[in-house]
Amino acid sequence: MRVGKVVGSAAEAVADVGDGASLAVGGFGLCGVPSVLIAALHEKGSRDLRVVSNNCGVDGRGLGLLLAEGRIARAMGSYIGENKELARRYLSGEIEVELVPQGTLAERLRAGGCGIPAFYTPAGVGTLVAEGGLPWRYAADGSVAVASPAKEVREFGGVPHVLEESITTDFALVRAAKGDRYGNLVFDRSARNFNPLAAMAGRVTIAEVEELCELDPDEVHLPGVFVRRVVALTPEQAADKHVEKRTVRA
């Protein structure tokens, strides 16, 4: 039985994420990644997913779980990063990748959530971002099969700006430190990265929360109007966090 927007399990929360769905996924590296929801989606077996996220996880963790089995058909993000499997699949033509300047990606998600169809930004002017020609997909022989199109450039105050379209997706998967039954969310420190923006962009946003509790309205980072489903994590799930690299200094 549901209590507000709270659902019984991660599997139930992602049950209608079908093949070919588009997903906005929060997190930065492995910080703030909705790992329980990703694992549930991995278990469900959905394929041909179109993912928008700052990066595509790392090998074996985060979105890397879906990537390793060829479940992701297209990835939009700002950083390939430490994920060797993403680089391999991209260069061999197995996945389409759209690289976007990080600030532009953040604003495209926010604009989508606010109902703004497009905006102008100086980021990318004079580069292939604006002029087109960035390889989105390679052919098996290494040639470019799909390239980015040219974008409109317009001057404001004598400064050229490129037109960028906003992003909305079928679903969004995010992780929060705290949440209530109405879907209001609080994020912890640097985990408040792409999570609020991804949540705004999803038509159906699913949040895994480390602590389900009552929230003071002044605490709320993201209002529940953007969130459709909430999954309360167990203490073990909440504590299961990873980093890409650990540095130990004497």
Side-chain angles (χ1 to χ4, degrees), residues 81-130:
E82 308 298 326
N83 197 322
K84 295 179 181 179
E85 179 63 9
L86 176 59
R88 186 195 69 76
R89 287 181 178 271
Y90 173 47
L91 294 174
S92 64
E94 298 175 39
I95 187 173
E96 186 169 302
V97 175
E98 180 178 353
L99 291 173
V100 183
Q102 194 165 89
T104 300
L105 179 64
E107 182 61 13
R108 289 178 69 181
L109 289 164
R110 191 199 69 85
C114 292
I116 299 169
F119 59 91
Y120 286 95
T121 173
V125 171
T127 73
L128 295 180
V129 170

Side-chain angles (χ1 to χ4, degrees), residues 36-215:
V36 175
L37 291 171
I38 292 171
L41 192 57
H42 176 264
E43 182 68 22
K44 181 180 183 298
S46 299
R47 309 188 67 85
D48 297 322
L49 300 170
R50 294 169 290 134
V51 172
V52 182
S53 187
N54 177 65
N55 57 291
C56 214
V58 300
D59 296 314
R61 296 197 182 277
L63 287 170
L65 286 174
L66 300 173
L67 182 72
E69 294 189 6
R71 307 274 190 86
I72 299 175
R74 190 177 199 277
M76 179 190 294
S78 66
Y79 183 56
I80 291 179
E82 308 298 326
N83 197 322
K84 295 179 181 179
E85 179 63 9
L86 176 59
R88 186 195 69 76
R89 287 181 178 271
Y90 173 47
L91 294 174
S92 64
E94 298 175 39
I95 187 173
E96 186 169 302
V97 175
E98 180 178 353
L99 291 173
V100 183
Q102 194 165 89
T104 300
L105 179 64
E107 182 61 13
R108 289 178 69 181
L109 289 164
R110 191 199 69 85
C114 292
I116 299 169
F119 59 91
Y120 286 95
T121 173
V125 171
T127 73
L128 295 180
V129 170
E131 296 167 4
L134 281 171
W136 280 0
R137 180 184 287 276
Y138 286 99
D141 63 1
S143 63
V144 177
V146 181
S148 65
K151 298 176 181 178
E152 178 186 335
V153 176
R154 180 177 172 185
E155 286 195 3
F156 294 90
V159 178
H161 292 68
V162 60
L163 182 67
E164 294 282 2
E165 294 186 11
S166 64
I167 297 170
T168 56
T169 57
D170 300 325
F171 296 88
L173 308 180
V174 300
R175 181 170 181 138
K178 297 179 182 179
D180 64 18
R181 59 180 173 163
Y182 307 108
N184 299 304
L185 303 178
V186 174
F187 303 96
D188 186 23
R189 297 179 175 85
S190 56
R192 188 180 175 182
N193 41 51
F194 277 87
N195 275 300
L197 304 170
M200 292 173 68
R203 297 183 185 92
V204 175
T205 293
I206 309 167
E208 60 180 63
V209 300
E210 296 171 14
E211 180 184 355
L212 185 65
C213 58
E214 296 297 321
L215 294 175

Side-chain angles (χ1 to χ4, degrees), residues 222-245:
L222 184 81
V225 67
F226 291 110
V227 179
R228 186 77 62 86
R229 301 167 194 162
V230 174
V231 178
L233 302 183
T234 66
E236 293 75 21
Q237 289 172 328
D240 185 24
K241 300 178 183 180
H242 300 269
V243 296
E244 294 96 315
K245 294 181 180 179

